[in-house]
Amino acid sequence: MSRAACLLVIISLMSPAAEALDNGLALKPTMGWLHWERFMCNIDCDTDPNNCISERLYMQMADVMVKEGWKEAGYEYVCIDDCWPSHQRDAQGRLQADPKRFPGGIKKLADYIHSKGLKLGIYADVGDKTCAGYPGSLGYYEKDAQTFADWDVDLLKFDGCFMNRALLGEGYINMSKALNNTGRPILYSCEWPLYEWPLKQPNYTAIRETCNHWRNFDDVFDSWSSVKSILDWTAAHQDIIVPAAGPGGWNDPDMLVIGNFGLSHDQQESQMALWAIMASPLLMSNDLRDICPRSKELLQNKRIIDISQDSMGKQGYRTAKGNDFEVWERPLSKNRLAIAVLNKLETGGPRGFNIGAAPGWKICGPQCNVTQILPQYKEMGVQTQQSKIIVSVNPSGTALLTVTPISSDFRRLHKLNWQGTFVRRKHTIL
């Protein structure tokens, strides 16, 4: 077998380990906005009415998403996180929104979101309390699922606090069944493996059959160290989690914090590029009412979103590291490959990287067409395996490229090997 064919077996990912949750949703990674990282559990509407968790906040975000091009770019869900409910269920045992902060109730908010052509997400917990201490769904799975369906909710983020870990999987499965039994399509976002990893390796076959996407690791914070820790964890466990991802079910490394306070622009580009490579849900947590134009342009970058939403639905992964660089690659439809080169150094200036050192560059035999998307868009034209292309990568920044083979022979070979098994390999960049 040729070196190119061997490489294709390595970079090709096997089919998902199990059938996806059969609700017809999340055939591509979910895109939208989620309040938690930016607005946390701010319920003080008396002194901070513009930023508290209230129906006003979500209505304003929906207005901006339509007006400022977010909906057109593909962001469609407006998602409520923790701290929305009243501390008490109603007389029928149903969850109810805090009456002061959500005077119209969730159904009215859903109607408003839908009138904008968007979808509404809500939050609940598999245990007896949410992480912030509001009523959990334990013992109420069917009732809560039907309540969300009656409210015309489109997505449920289901957390895992205050739950007996031995019953965690059973709880997530039961809520999945309850949601499906309502007859309303409700995208199901789980935290099942996040809470199970400290005890044992999760069963991703069961998780994929149960959830549309699932959190694996720590909450993201508005800092580069947080984003790096998520990338490091993902790379360390990619042989386990990557095969589980595909249309209908995705690994969720948590929210995009682009447009907030803690990341430089280069670091924002790195998060956006690598979340696209990882086929991650793109759920922004920021203030769309007041976001810098450069961050907005990055988040709405059509070429990056096209990688995220690629129809093949294969998650990318880290293929090489060395000399404080990392290479992440994702196979795309139409025989293409996305390559991201991350500069791990946080000192000095821009450093050059020979893209020919990326394992996936072998697909350029005999020829390929190369487009650089980040840090600047540039058509690099027709190249070969022998081409020496040096991309400049700033500290903690990422260069993102797409590579399209030209040879018809390669396309045939590529198709034949696409069913190859996912194999984890350690590559060192010299």
Side-chain angles (χ1 to χ4, degrees):
M1 184 181 290
S2 70
R3 291 178 63 191
C6 289
L7 179 70
L8 283 171
V9 173
I10 293 171
I11 69 171
S12 297
L13 307 183
M14 71 178 183
S15 298
E19 292 299 317
L21 173 61
D22 186 21
N23 61 6
L25 301 174
L27 299 182
K28 296 181 179 180
T30 307
M31 296 178 64
W33 180 90
L34 177 64
H35 95 241
W36 184 255
E37 195 286 325
R38 178 61 184 262
F39 295 94
M40 304 294 289
C41 193
N42 179 359
I43 59 173
D44 186 1
C45 292
D46 292 330
T47 61
D48 194 11
N50 291 324
N51 300 297
C52 67
I53 307 310
S54 67
E55 65 181 28
R56 177 183 179 185
L57 179 68
Y58 305 103
M59 289 177 176
Q60 289 182 348
M61 291 301 168
D63 292 343
V64 173
M65 286 174 71
V66 173
K67 182 180 178 181
E68 300 294 333
W70 300 99
K71 175 186 170 184
E72 185 178 358
Y75 297 94
E76 63 174 339
Y77 287 87
V78 180
C79 298
I80 306 169
D81 210 285
D82 206 346
C83 305
W84 64 270
S86 169
H87 280 286
Q88 302 295 328
R89 290 175 177 266
D90 70 11
Q92 288 74 44
R94 295 173 300 197
L95 290 171
Q96 53 186 343
D98 182 277
K100 181 178 179 180
R101 294 181 285 117
F102 294 84
I106 301 300
K107 178 62 168 68
K108 180 180 176 181
L109 177 58
D111 290 344
Y112 185 86
I113 299 297
H114 294 156
S115 74
K116 302 292 180 178
L118 299 168
K119 297 177 180 179
L120 180 68
I122 205 164
Y123 169 99
D125 193 284
V126 71
D128 61 3
K129 291 186 290 186
T130 73
C131 296
Y134 291 83
S137 293
L138 183 62
Y140 294 89
Y141 296 142
E142 292 80 9
K143 186 178 291 288
D144 288 354
Q146 190 58 55
T147 298
F148 299 145
D150 292 343
W151 288 344
D152 290 338
V153 165
D154 304 292
L155 177 152
L156 173 63
K157 176 181 175 180
F158 210 42
D159 214 334
C161 287
F162 300 103
M163 182 62 171
N164 183 332
R165 293 295 177 261
L167 303 176
L168 192 72
E170 179 184 344
Y172 275 103
I173 291 169
N174 287 340
M175 178 54 96
S176 183
K177 292 177 180 177
L179 290 171
N180 282 347
N181 286 340
T182 68
R184 178 171 179 79
I186 299 177
L187 193 153
Y188 189 33
S189 176
C190 298
E191 312 250 325
W192 179 357
L194 165 65
Y195 290 93
E196 204 160 74
W197 267 111
L199 303 176
K200 62 180 180 179
Q201 180 175 311
N203 179 348
Y204 281 94
T205 298
I207 290 168
R208 180 173 171 82
E209 291 171 344
T210 303
C211 310
N212 291 120
H213 39 84
W214 48 86
R215 285 275 312 285
N216 293 304
F217 186 58
D218 291 347
D219 290 358
V220 70
F221 289 87
D222 189 12
S223 73
W224 180 233
S225 62
S226 174
V227 173
K228 284 191 301 180
S229 71
I230 292 169
L231 293 171
D232 290 344
W233 187 95
T234 300
H237 297 83
Q238 62 188 15
D239 54 335
I240 299 169
I241 68 172
V242 168
W250 311 97
N251 291 295
D252 180 5
D254 212 4
M255 296 160 277
L256 294 168
V257 293
I258 296 165
N260 291 323
F261 310 100
L263 302 185
S264 70
H265 187 72
D266 287 288
Q267 292 161 357
Q268 293 182 52
E269 289 186 341
S270 291
Q271 191 189 25
M272 188 69 181
L274 290 164
W275 262 233
I277 289 285
M278 293 188 294
S280 310
L282 300 182
L283 292 172
M284 306 175 290
S285 191
N286 49 23
D287 191 345
L288 298 177
R289 301 166 301 183
D290 182 22
I291 187 170
C292 80
R294 200 174 179 192
S295 296
K296 177 183 176 182
E297 181 181 8
L298 174 63
L299 286 162
Q300 294 188 3
N301 187 305
K302 183 180 185 301
R303 293 179 177 88
I304 304 175
I305 291 173
D306 284 348
I307 293 173
S308 162
Q309 302 292 293
D310 185 73
S311 60
M312 182 168 284
K314 298 290 186 180
Q315 179 173 336
Y317 58 101
R318 191 177 70 189
T319 58
K321 65 176 183 175
N323 193 27
D324 291 305
F325 283 109
E326 289 186 357
V327 177
W328 293 67
E329 297 176 334
R330 178 180 177 182
L332 304 174
S333 58
K334 300 179 181 177
N335 304 313
R336 297 170 300 137
L337 183 71
I339 302 176
V341 180
L342 170 64
N343 180 359
K344 295 293 291 288
L345 283 184
E346 299 176 34
T347 58
R351 295 197 299 149
F353 180 86
N354 181 0
I355 199 66
W361 187 252
K362 301 299 188 297
I363 72 172
C364 279
Q367 289 184 318
C368 62
N369 192 71
V370 182
T371 300
Q372 178 179 293
I373 298 171
L374 291 174
Q376 296 91 25
Y377 171 73
K378 184 189 304 182
E379 289 292 348
M380 294 182 164
V382 176
Q383 306 292 336
T384 69
Q385 280 192 30
Q386 290 71 42
S387 297
K388 188 174 183 180
I389 297 179
I390 307 298
V391 293
S392 179
V393 193
N394 291 343
S396 65
T398 294
L400 178 65
L401 305 96
T402 56
V403 182
T404 304
I406 294 174
S407 165
S408 58
D409 288 338
F410 175 84
R411 287 197 294 270
R412 179 182 59 81
L413 180 63
H414 186 74
K415 183 175 181 180
L416 288 172
N417 283 283
W418 200 253
Q419 301 303 318
T421 300
F422 172 79
V423 180
R424 186 181 180 194
R425 291 289 186 267
K426 294 181 180 179
H427 294 275
T428 300
I429 304 167
L430 301 178

